[in-house]
Every structure is written in C-alpha cells, then in structure tokens.
C-alpha cells in the first residue's frame, strides 16, 4: 500500500488563516470529486472559519473521560474505517488526552499516512521543537506542545500562510481571533509588533531552508552542475593569511545586501606545499565567520583553483570572494595565479570578487613553484620535449646552422634532457637521453651516419652525456617526489592540528566532526559504530549523510578504533595514503564521543552534588531554625507545668499563644521542607482542573496575621477559569504573599491583583519593601536562599523556591519585577482553562486559524 501524502499549512502566529486556507483547499478538492473528510478541525467559534465547515463530511469525534470531565479528540479508528482519500487534521502539535490512542496528534497523522490516506494539517512555527528556545526568548512564553522538525520536514508539501504584523493586529482588534475581553491584553503581550515580526521572519527563513533542501535534492537527482542563483551564497577563499579577516567581513557585507544571503568560508589545503597557513590565524578566521553567521569548511585539493570552483558549484554558490594575490611581480612568470585562474574558469553563472588588502604584493612567504604532483599536461610536454625536441634540434643543427662542434652539440642535447626532466620527470628524461645519444652518434660522431664510433674520446663523451642526463633526471624526479611527500605531510599536519585544537577546546560535536570527515575526503556518508562485545550487533553512535552504513563490513572504508568501535564511510574507496589521517579522525571521533558521555556523567554528578548541598543546608536549618520554635514551645510548656509559680489568666493565655505560634512556625517550616524534598525528587503530581481564582487567593491568605490590615485584594469576578491544581496554587500564592508581607513596611499594604492576558491569568503581588537588584532576582528563588538582612529564625529560605516549583509543575511561571516607585512585584502566571482540550497553555495552542 502506498503511503499517503502530507500537506502542511505553516503559519507564523495564531490567526494568520491556516485553518481557513486548509478548509478552502478541502472545498476545491471536493469540487473536483475527491473524497475529503474533516477528521478534526477546531474553529474556536470564529464565524468565517465555522462557515467553511458547511458542506464537508465530518467524522464524529471520540469522547474521553479524564478526571471527572469529558473531552473530545480525533477518532483515528473511525477515520481508518471510513478510509477517505483526504483527511483534514487541524493543530498537528496538539497533545491528546491521556487514554487516547497516541500521545500526540502528529502520531495519529502518521497512522493515517501509513494507511494510504492523504492528510492536510496545520501548525505554527513556534511549535517546531528545534525553535522552542528561540520562541521563548522572543515572546517570553515556553511552548510545551511541540512537533519534531523531522515530521514537518518529511511533508510532501509545505505552504506558508503569511500575513503582515499590522494586518494580523487589525484582525485581532476586529475580534476575528479572540473574544473582545482578551483583545487588549493579547495586543499588548504576545501579539506585539516586534513579536509578530520576529516569528514571521522565523517562518520565512524555515520555509526558505526547506525550499533550498528541495532544490539541492532536485539538482543532485538530475545531475545539474550549473549554478542556479536562487539564493545568494558567497564562498570566501582563504589562504590562512592575515588578509582572510578582511575577506570574511567584505563577504558578510555582500551577503547583507540580499535577503537570506549565506557566507561559506573555505580553506583548501594544497598538496604542493605552496600555502603558508597559520593554524592560529585559521582558528581566528573560523571564529569570525561563525560569529557573522557563516560556516567554515576545510577541504583538501591538489589544484586549488579546481577545488575552489568544484566546492562553489557543489554548494550552488553565486559569488566567490578572493584576495588579490600576495605574489611579487616577478613571481607571475610561474603562472597567472589562483585568483586569475578562478576568474577565468568561473563561467558566466559565478561572479568572482578580487578584494584588495594590505598584504597584496608583499610576497607569499614561501617561494612559488609549480605543482609537485605532475599533471597530465606536464607529462605530455615532457615527452614532447624529450622525444620530439632532439629530433627538431638535429634538423636545425644539420641544415640551418654551421658546425658548432661535438661538445656544443652535446650541451644542447643535454639542455633538452634537463628540460624534459623538469617538465615530465624521470622517464621522459631517460627517453630524451637515449634518443639524444643515438642522434649524436648517428649525425655528429665520426664516422657519421653509422653507429660506429671511431675516436675513443667520443665514446667517453657520449657515455658522460648519458650519465649526466640520467643523473639530472633522477635528481629532479627525486626532488619532485620528496616535495610532494613533504607537502602532503604538511597538509595532513595542518588538518590534524586544526582538528585536535577544535576537539581539545570542545568546539566540535560528534556530528560536526563526522561531517568534517565526510567533507574532507569527499564521501557520501560517515558513521561511528560501536558494540559491546565481539558477537554483539553494531549500533550507530552518530552519523551524517544519506543512508549511513550500519555494519563495517558494508562500508567502502572501515577504520577500526580499538576492539569495539569503528569509523565506517561510504562513497568511494580511499587510497592507502589517506588512511593515516582518517585513523586520526577516527580516534578524535571516539574522544568526542567519550567527552560527550563524560559531560552527561558530570551533569549527573552535579545533580548529586546539588543534592548534597541541599542536605547540608537542611541540616543547618534543622540545627537552628527548627530548634528555635522548639525551644520556645518547650520553655512555655515547662513554665505551665511549673508548680512554683502562680500564673495569671493573662500569663496563661500568653504562654499558650506562644506555644501555638511556635507550633505554627514548625508546621510551616516542616511543610516547606517536605515540599522542597518532593520537588527535588520529582514526585509532585498536580491534579489539574478548572478553578476560579477568586476562590483560591482568599484561602491562601488564611495563614497571614491580620490579612485585612496587611493585604489588599483586587481579584475581578469576571476572570476566566484557570487550569491548575487548587492546592498547589494556594500554597504558591500563600508563600509569595507571606514573603511580600514580611518585607513590606508596616504602614504599606501588599496589593494582590489579577488580570487575564491572552490564554493565561497573571497574579501580581506588589510590595513597597526594599526591593531586589536585577542580579539577585533569580537567586531569591533558589532553595535555602534569603536575601539581604533577613533575621535568623525568619525561615529557612524555601518559600519562594517552593512557590516557583509548584507553579512550574502546573505549567505556569513565577518571576520577580521591580515595583514602580520602589519595591518588588511577584508575577505568578497560570494557564486559563481550555474550552475543548485540556492542554492549551500557550497562545498559539488555543488560537489556531
């Protein structure tokens, strides 16, 4: 059975029109005769969206009982039994009610796709799992309902539903998204122009990256080698010289001129040893390009010009930025240089920028020489000079010039032999020596036109000629081979030094290192495999590239590391000379893997150390803060039991009151200690249900002395129901208010107010105390922390830590702000109760359009 196709409407924020676009597409398909059903669509009482449901076949939802309430979810079994061609499933990131078929709606969608049913769905950019931290930093709201990026990336079609921030805010103001009583709060919080603009940019860039991936895949499948300038990609050619920083900054400025521009800096290790690259300078340039939003690449290439052009065309670059050559004028006799060659060979689809810099014309640091690895062209010329050269010289000496003497003839032939050795190496030079000696013997050694030599001196001369020719050819060939070996070792040392530096500094993760292996050696995929024993199956610790191998026996290149680990690559068979560097890569990959695991163990050790710190603080609290009220209770009880003193009724009542106060303090301290212990061990299980805030807050003030004199309440009765654990919320509010009363001046009341903002309700506890500086606002929420000059016996510093822990356990937040005019404001935000589903704590989850 063929797998169904997935189409996703992606939006930047709630209300942009994703659901409306999905329903419009459904109507178009129905008109074409497609069997299309509504599996689950949430219209949120928006009239225009609700109207679009008319005329569409809707699958009845499944009702689920959960904690005394009835909720509805998509009935996957009913959709599978109905087997439509297309199913509409709204809110892909939604979390299903406990007891449903799957935990997440995207898992329901996967079942429909596996059954051959096409699915059309919707999702907001803030619900992509990889963007959770970014969205939280922009909006201040953490999205708990997420969908893995890979699920969305696998979609057969992604359509962006776009709308400008101004238009979306107008739609909000007209009441087309939220109810009128929530509009003002939403516009001033989540739907601020800056938030919407940033979310819109995230959505546009994510879709652009996905389109780019489609384009790369298409070019690879159709073997398109020409550059398609659909997006500005600027490749910076680095030599490791100091001018690299100038080139990177210039490329970054060029990229800024076009939306979505990308900078890729590439350093090509030449195998001829011509570049004098500083590893330290390369590290600085790598950091610079990454700080500017680009990427750094390290590639090995025998011909720098060819390697640079191949890399640029491989990444579909549109521009190359290079520095003007550092050669001196006389050095151009050895060739036009890399810059000129790249500009000549780039073609009309690849622009080349040659940037001037301070190092231009100052010399390259190493003498310029031609390639030590002889190419085909040089070998051909060597054979032409070695074989055809003596024949042409013979023709010239016998017909066009007077007799210059045998000694001069030998020198001329020896010159051709040396030239053949310099161009083509040993064998063209040997051929030149043989041909030249025969021609000398035949045409210039008496008797001529015979191979007989009459004068013994001529025999010695020809033997010396052949010996010198062979010696010169051998020396030139040996020098070329030694130069090539030294250059290759130098390139290898540069790569290993660069690699080891990154690994030691902890700058490279396992996948980044494997990607560097794949890129350096031009492989299709790379994987680090491991197993526990000789007979155990191999498991993949990390991989990059398409279809990585899962067994070393199936790899094109297999580098064992120890007894139970192996680096496996696929793509081509590498020469034996490359395996030395590859073995170093494999060893570093194991180091990176071990370091990652050690970091995880260090994290666990840190947690244990934190637990030890808390236990130490707990012992200190027990030794002092708990003993103080116990001492007061014991003293009062001892006094009451004493027969030596006649206590008056007032004294008797005062002692009993002291006992009661000490017991209350003990109860509070022990309760906080137990609560922090539950939070540390993760055993707090909130029982979430709909609750009226105006019923909880007054109850939380019961333990505060004279609440009517010290606290002012402003809790509107029109607030929406909140989705919380009533007991936990009461404890959290009580701790926050008690802390505010403790630090507030006696003549100033603590204000406790509440307001609805988007899909949450905020409780603000405002005091006029000394306040807390910004650097300490987070520290006051840590366990056993008391700010300022709080007296001993005023508590063990757990109240705010417990309050934050309980609030976050219910899906809310608690943070501190400065009170205008002086003081501290605690902001406790909890989610409002959803209308149809139990978990819609974020603005987007309850406002899908």
């Amino acid at each position: 059975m063929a797998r169904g196709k997935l189409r996703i409407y992606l939006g930047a924020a709630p209300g942009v029109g994703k659901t409306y676009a999905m329903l419009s597409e459904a109507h178009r398909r129905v008109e074409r005769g497609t069997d299309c059903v509504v599996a689950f669509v949430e219209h949120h009482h928006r009239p225009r969206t609700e109207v679009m449901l008319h005329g569409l076949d809707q699958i009845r939802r499944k009702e689920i009982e959960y904690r005394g309430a009835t909720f509805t979810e998509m009935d996957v079994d009913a959709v599978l039994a109905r087997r439509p061609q297309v199913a509409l499933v709204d809110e892909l990131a939604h979390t299903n009610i406990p007891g449903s078929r799957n935990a997440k709606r995207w898992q329901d969608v996967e079942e429909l796709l596996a059954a051959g049913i096409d699915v059309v769905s919707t999702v907001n950019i803030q619900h992509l799992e990889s963007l959770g931290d970014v969205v939280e930093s922009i909006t201040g709201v953490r999205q708990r309902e997420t969908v893995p990026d890979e699920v969305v990336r696998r979609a057969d079609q992604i359509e962006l539903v776009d709308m400008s921030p101004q238009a979306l805010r107008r739609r909000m103001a007209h009441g087309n998204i939220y109810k009128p009583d929530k509009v003002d709060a939403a516009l001033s919080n989540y739907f601020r122009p800056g938030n919407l603009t940033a979310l819109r940019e995230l959505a546009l860039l994510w879709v652009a990256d996905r389109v780019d991936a489609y384009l790369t895949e298409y070019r690879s499948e159709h073997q398109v080698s020409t550059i398609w300038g659909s997006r500005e990609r600027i490749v910076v050619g680095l030599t490791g010289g100091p001018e690299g920083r100038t080139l990177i900054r210039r490329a970054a400025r060029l990229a800024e001129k076009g939306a979505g521009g990308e900078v890729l800096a590439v350093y090509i290790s030449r195998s001829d040893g011509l570049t004098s690259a500083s590893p330290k300078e390369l590290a600085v340039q790598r950091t610079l390009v990454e700080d500017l939003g680009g990427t750094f690449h390290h590639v090995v290439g025998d011909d720098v010009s060819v390697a640079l052009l191949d890399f640029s065309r491989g990444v579909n670059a549109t521009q190359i930025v290079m520095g003007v050559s550092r050669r001196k004028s006389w050095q151009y006799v050895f060739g036009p240089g890399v810059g000129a060659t790249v500009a000549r060979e780039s073609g009309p689809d690849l622009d080349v920028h040659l940037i001037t810099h301070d190092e231009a014309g100052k010399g390259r640091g190493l003498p310029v020489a031609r390639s030590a690895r002889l190419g085909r062209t040089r070998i051909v010329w060597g054979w032409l000079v070695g074989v055809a050269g003596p024949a042409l010289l013979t023709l010239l000496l016998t017909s066009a010039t007077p007799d210059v003497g045998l000694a001069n003839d030998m020198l001329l032939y020896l010159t051709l032999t040396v030239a053949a050795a310099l161009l083509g190496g040993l064998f063209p030079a040997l051929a030149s020596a043989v041909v030249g000696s025969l021609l000398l013997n035949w045409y210039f050694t008496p008797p001529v036109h015979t191979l007989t030599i009459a004068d013994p001196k001529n025999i010695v001369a020809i033997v010396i000629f052949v010996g010198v020719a062979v010696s010169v050819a051998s020396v030139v060939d040996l020098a070329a081979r030694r130069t090539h070996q030294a250059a290759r070792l130098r390139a290898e040392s540069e790569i290993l030094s660069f690699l080891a530096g990154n690994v030691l500094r902890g700058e490279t993760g396992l996948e980044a290192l494997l990607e560097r292996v794949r890129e350096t050696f031009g492989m299709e995929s790379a994987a680090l495999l491991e197993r526990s024993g000789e007979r155990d199956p191999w498991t993949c610790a990390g991989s990059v590239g398409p279809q990585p191998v899962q067994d070393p026996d199936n790899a094109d290149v297999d580098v064992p590391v120890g007894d139970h680990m192996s680096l496996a690559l696929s793509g081509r068979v590498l020469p034996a000379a490359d395996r030395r560097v590859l073995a170093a890569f494999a060893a570093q990959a194991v180091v990176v893997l071990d370091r990652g695991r050690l970091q995880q163990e260090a994290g666990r050790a840190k947690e244990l150390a934190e637990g030890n710190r808390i236990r130490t603080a707990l012992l200190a609290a027990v030794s002092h803060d708990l003993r103080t009220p116990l001492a007061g209770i014991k003293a009062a009880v001892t006094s009451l039991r004493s027969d030596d003193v006649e206590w008056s009724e007032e004294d008797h009542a005062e002692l009993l009151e002291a006992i009661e106060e000490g017991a209350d303090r003990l109860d509070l301290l022990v309760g906080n200690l137990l609560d922090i212990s539950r939070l540390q061990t993760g055993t707090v299980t909130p029982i979430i249900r709909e609750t009226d805030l105006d019923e909880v807050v007054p109850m939380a003030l019961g333990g505060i002395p004279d609440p009517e004199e010290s606290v002012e309440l402003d809790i509107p009765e029109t607030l929406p129901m909140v989705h919380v654990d009533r007991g936990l919320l009461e404890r959290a509010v009580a701790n926050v208010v008690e802390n505010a009363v403790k630090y507030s001046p006696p003549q100033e009341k603590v204000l406790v107010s509440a307001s609805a903002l988007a899909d949450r309700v905020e409780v603000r506890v405002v005091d006029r105390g000394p306040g807390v500086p910004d650097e300490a606002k987070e520290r006051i929420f840590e366990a056993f922390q008391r700010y300022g000059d709080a007296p001993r016996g005023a508590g063990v510093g757990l109240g705010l830590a417990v309050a934050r822990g309980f609030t976050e356990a219910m899906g809310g937040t608690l943070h501190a702000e400065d009170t205008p005019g002086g003081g501290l404001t605690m902001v406790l935000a909890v989610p409002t109760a959803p209308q149809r589903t139990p978990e819609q704590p974020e603005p987007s989850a309850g406002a899908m359009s």
Side-chain angles (χ1 to χ4, degrees):
M1 178 184 298
R3 180 180 172 85
K5 296 185 179 299
L6 176 61
R7 177 172 182 169
I8 293 178
Y9 286 93
L10 178 69
V16 295
K18 301 179 302 301
T19 304
Y20 190 93
M22 178 180 68
L23 294 174
S24 299
E25 174 65 18
H27 281 287
R28 286 192 293 271
R29 297 196 182 197
V30 169
E31 291 174 359
R32 295 195 300 264
T34 304
D35 182 15
C36 184
V37 302
V38 176
F40 190 97
V41 169
E42 196 67 79
H43 55 74
H44 299 291
H45 303 290
R46 298 170 189 164
R48 296 184 179 181
T49 306
E50 194 169 1
V51 168
M52 293 297 293
L53 287 170
H54 297 168
L56 297 177
D57 187 8
Q58 302 185 44
I59 302 294
R60 183 179 178 86
R61 298 183 184 184
K62 184 178 182 180
E63 295 185 351
I64 300 177
E65 295 286 338
Y66 180 69
R67 291 183 175 176
T70 302
F71 303 97
T72 59
E73 293 287 1
M74 180 175 67
D75 194 337
V76 180
D77 293 324
V79 178
L80 292 174
R82 172 69 169 73
R83 295 198 60 79
Q85 290 178 275
V86 180
L88 307 184
V89 182
D90 206 0
E91 301 180 1
L92 186 64
H94 170 73
T95 300
N96 292 330
I97 295 293
S100 301
R101 184 187 185 98
N102 295 300
K104 290 285 189 176
R105 185 164 293 164
W106 64 265
Q107 295 171 328
D108 296 336
V109 169
E110 287 292 321
E111 285 198 37
L112 301 182
L113 295 173
I117 301 174
D118 294 344
V119 176
V120 182
S121 188
T122 65
V123 72
N124 274 338
I125 190 68
Q126 63 263 35
H127 292 298
L128 295 182
E129 196 169 76
S130 65
L131 300 178
D133 294 336
V134 179
V135 172
E136 184 178 12
S137 66
I138 293 171
T139 64
V141 178
R142 182 68 181 186
Q143 303 291 334
R144 285 180 296 280
E145 291 192 328
T146 60
V147 58
D149 290 45
E150 186 59 28
V151 174
V152 182
R153 289 185 183 276
R154 286 201 306 264
D156 300 275
Q157 187 174 353
I158 300 174
E159 183 171 334
L160 178 66
V161 182
D162 190 28
M163 177 176 288
S164 68
Q166 294 77 13
L168 183 57
R169 284 172 60 84
R170 284 196 299 270
R171 178 179 288 186
M172 171 72 72
H174 293 160
N176 295 332
I177 301 178
Y178 288 154
K179 294 181 179 180
D181 60 337
K182 297 182 179 181
V183 170
D184 291 339
L187 290 175
S188 61
N189 287 273
Y190 193 86
F191 286 84
R192 292 194 299 268
N195 288 1
L196 297 179
T197 302
L199 292 173
R200 187 188 190 198
E201 182 180 13
L202 277 179
L204 291 171
L205 290 176
W206 195 91
V207 173
D209 287 339
R210 183 56 183 156
V211 172
D212 188 64
Y214 280 133
L215 178 61
T216 302
E217 183 179 349
Y218 178 86
R219 284 166 50 84
S220 176
E221 291 177 353
H222 294 78
Q223 298 181 348
V224 178
S225 59
T226 58
I227 293 175
W228 291 358
S230 57
R231 180 179 179 182
E232 288 295 336
R233 279 193 178 87
I234 303 174
V235 171
V236 185
L238 301 177
T239 65
E243 75 280 0
R245 307 183 199 182
T246 302
L247 303 183
I248 292 171
R249 294 189 182 98
R250 182 60 182 272
R253 291 198 298 270
L254 290 174
E256 290 175 357
K257 295 180 179 179
E262 185 178 357
V263 176
L264 300 91
V266 57
Y267 169 66
I268 300 174
S269 299
R270 300 181 62 167
S271 60
D272 56 9
L274 298 185
T275 35
S276 179
S278 166
K280 181 179 179 180
E281 182 64 28
L282 280 177
V284 171
Q285 294 174 12
R286 176 178 182 269
T287 302
L288 176 61
V289 72
E290 291 178 349
D291 289 342
L292 293 174
T295 56
F296 186 91
H297 305 267
H298 195 159
V299 178
V300 175
D302 295 329
D303 190 314
V304 175
S305 303
V306 173
L308 183 58
L309 288 171
D310 288 345
F311 177 84
S312 301
R313 293 191 173 101
V315 298
N316 199 29
T318 57
Q319 302 180 55
I320 296 178
V321 173
M322 303 180 64
V324 172
S325 177
R326 287 183 287 154
R327 291 181 175 188
K328 296 183 181 298
S329 301
W330 62 268
Q331 292 176 318
Y332 282 97
V333 299
F334 296 104
V338 175
T341 303
V342 170
R344 184 181 66 246
E345 302 294 336
S346 61
D349 52 357
L350 187 56
D351 298 335
V352 178
H353 302 268
L354 293 179
I355 308 300
T356 58
H357 51 84
D358 295 338
E359 302 297 322
K362 293 185 177 180
R364 302 192 53 166
L366 286 179
V368 177
R370 288 171 292 177
S371 176
R373 175 175 287 181
L374 302 178
R376 180 178 299 176
T377 302
R378 285 189 57 184
I379 293 176
V380 170
W381 276 104
W383 281 102
L384 287 175
V385 172
V387 176
L392 293 175
L393 179 61
T394 301
L395 180 63
L396 179 65
L397 293 176
T398 56
S399 61
T401 60
D403 186 12
V404 295
L406 180 60
N408 291 327
D409 293 337
M410 287 185 177
L411 290 176
L412 292 174
Y413 280 102
L414 182 60
T415 301
L416 289 177
T417 301
V418 173
L422 292 173
L423 287 172
L426 178 62
F427 294 106
L430 293 177
S432 177
V434 172
V435 173
S437 63
L438 291 176
L439 292 175
L440 279 171
N441 189 5
W442 184 267
Y443 286 100
F444 303 105
T445 305
V448 296
H449 303 303
T450 67
L451 295 178
T452 303
I453 302 175
D455 190 349
K457 296 180 179 179
N458 293 335
I459 296 176
V460 174
I462 291 178
V463 170
I464 292 175
F465 165 77
V466 173
V468 170
V470 172
S471 300
V472 170
S474 300
V475 170
V476 171
D477 181 72
L478 180 62
R481 286 189 285 110
R482 291 289 184 266
T483 302
H484 171 66
Q485 292 173 357
R488 181 176 182 84
L489 291 174
R490 175 179 178 175
E492 291 178 357
S493 66
E494 288 177 354
I495 293 175
L496 294 177
S497 175
F498 188 78
L499 171 67
N502 287 343
V503 171
L504 290 175
R505 290 190 299 268
E507 299 175 357
T508 303
L510 179 59
E511 291 188 358
L513 181 62
L514 293 177
E515 179 62 28
R516 181 65 56 83
V517 174
R518 189 180 72 87
E519 184 179 79
T520 300
F521 295 97
M523 306 300 286
E524 293 181 359
S525 65
L528 183 63
L529 307 177
E530 63 176 343
R531 61 180 178 180
S532 302
E534 293 293 337
R535 298 183 179 180
D536 294 327
W538 291 94
T539 59
C540 183
S543 64
V544 294
Q547 299 179 347
V549 295
Q550 302 297 323
D551 193 304
D553 296 335
N554 301 328
D556 295 318
V557 180
D558 169 31
V559 181
V561 187
D563 296 331
H564 305 302
M565 301 197 76
S566 177
L567 179 63
L569 296 90
S570 64
R572 63 189 179 94
V573 178
L574 293 178
D578 290 336
R579 295 185 67 89
R580 180 172 59 253
V581 179
L582 192 58
F585 269 103
Q588 295 290 4
V590 174
V591 170
V592 172
L593 178 64
D594 291 341
R595 186 185 64 210
R597 291 173 175 174
L598 287 174
Q599 288 176 344
Q600 294 178 356
E601 293 180 2
R604 290 192 290 267
K606 184 177 180 181
E607 293 178 358
L608 293 175
E610 179 66 15
N612 288 332
R613 187 188 70 84
I614 291 177
R615 281 192 292 270
T616 302
L618 178 60
L619 290 175
V622 170
S623 65
H624 185 281
D625 296 285
L626 294 182
R627 291 178 64 183
T628 301
L630 279 175
I633 294 174
K634 181 174 179 58
V637 171
T638 302
S639 299
L640 289 174
R641 290 172 56 97
S642 174
D643 298 330
D644 300 335
V645 181
E646 281 291 335
W647 301 105
S648 64
E649 293 185 2
E650 292 80 2
D651 293 336
H652 193 272
E654 185 177 347
L655 290 172
L656 290 177
E657 183 179 358
I659 294 173
E660 184 177 11
E661 289 179 357
D664 290 341
R665 287 179 57 190
L666 276 178
D667 180 67
L668 178 62
L669 291 172
V670 173
N672 281 336
L673 289 172
L674 292 175
D675 289 339
I676 201 67
S677 175
R678 293 167 58 201
L679 290 171
Q680 291 290 336
T681 57
T683 57
V684 176
T685 305
I687 302 175
I688 305 297
R689 62 183 62 182
E690 295 183 359
T691 304
D692 279 324
L693 194 64
D694 57 356
E695 295 180 0
V696 177
V697 174
M699 296 292 295
L701 306 181
I704 297 175
D706 299 325
E708 296 181 357
E709 298 296 329
S710 58
V711 179
E712 179 183 350
L713 285 181
D714 182 15
I715 310 295
E717 296 181 357
T718 58
L719 287 175
M721 303 279 283
V722 292
H723 207 225
V724 296
D725 182 305
R726 181 165 181 162
L728 296 185
L729 179 60
E730 183 178 327
R731 287 294 306 277
V733 173
N735 284 2
V736 172
V737 175
E738 180 186 352
N739 184 78
V741 171
K742 183 189 305 180
Y743 288 96
S744 189
Q747 67 277 11
E748 295 284 350
K749 286 187 176 183
V750 172
L751 174 62
V752 181
S753 63
S755 60
L757 297 174
D759 62 347
R760 67 184 186 275
V761 172
E762 288 187 351
V763 178
R764 307 179 75 87
V765 181
V766 182
D767 68 61
R768 294 292 179 179
V772 175
D774 292 339
E775 62 271 13
K777 281 188 172 62
E778 282 300 312
R779 194 167 65 249
I780 61 176
F781 291 103
E782 297 179 5
F784 302 102
Q785 295 291 325
R786 290 183 295 183
Y787 178 73
D789 55 353
R792 299 294 295 181
V796 292
L798 293 176
L800 294 181
V802 170
R804 171 173 275 191
F806 283 171
T807 304
E808 292 179 348
M810 296 182 293
T813 59
L814 176 62
H815 66 276
E817 299 177 354
D818 291 329
T819 302
L824 191 67
T825 299
M826 292 288 183
V827 182
L828 190 153
V830 291
T832 58
Q835 297 178 356
R836 294 179 180 271
T837 55
E839 286 191 10
Q840 292 182 345
E842 312 301 340
S844 55
M848 292 289 184
S849 63

